[in-house]
Amino acid sequence: MCHVLIIEDEPLIATYLQTLLEDEGATSFDFASSEEEAVAAARAHSPAVITSDVMLTQGTGPHAVSRILEELGEIGVIFVTGTPDQCEPCAPPGIVLSKPVQPADLAQAFHSFTAT
């Protein structure tokens, strides 16, 4: 079972990411559109992988991810953003993909964290 937290403030993009990741084997999802929602969702159900936009309705994806990683430890992170130059801090373990995301790139990034 692979649970994914999708941090994205555009519902259509979040649904698109969910569809692509379901095709790659993800089995459950939580969604958040703000930094606080993301942290709360991760606390409630620890994800195996996180996808995150950079700019959110409130706060930023990188700050949400940093807070989550501080609390929960190492989790695979894929930043999917239209503003990769504003991805701070997006240092490893994060992978940064630009929007519009290519399905093959997302699949490769996802499997880099889920391969056993």
Side-chain angles (χ1 to χ4, degrees):
M1 181 163 141
C2 183
H3 180 68
V4 177
L5 172 58
I6 297 176
I7 307 171
E8 172 60 62
D9 60 354
E10 295 290 336
L12 291 176
I13 295 173
T15 301
Y16 178 63
L17 294 173
Q18 177 185 12
T19 300
L20 293 176
L21 293 171
E22 282 176 335
D23 290 346
E24 298 303 322
T27 55
S28 63
F29 298 85
D30 280 321
F31 299 89
S33 62
S34 72
E35 186 173 328
E36 293 304 319
E37 287 177 4
V39 173
R43 285 177 181 151
H45 190 180
S46 183
V49 175
I50 298 171
T51 69
S52 180
D53 195 359
V54 171
M55 306 307 290
L56 303 174
T57 56
Q58 176 274 317
T60 72
H63 288 138
V65 167
S66 290
R67 290 173 58 193
I68 292 166
L69 296 179
E70 282 179 22
E71 286 188 33
L72 302 179
E74 191 172 317
I75 298 170
V77 180
I78 306 165
F79 290 98
V80 180
T81 181
T83 57
D85 56 321
Q86 295 179 21
C87 197
E88 291 290 330
C90 288
I95 295 171
V96 181
L97 301 177
S98 294
K99 289 178 182 175
V101 67
Q102 298 301 311
D105 294 339
L106 183 62
Q108 181 179 6
F110 177 71
H111 289 297
S112 75
F113 296 120
T114 60
T116 54

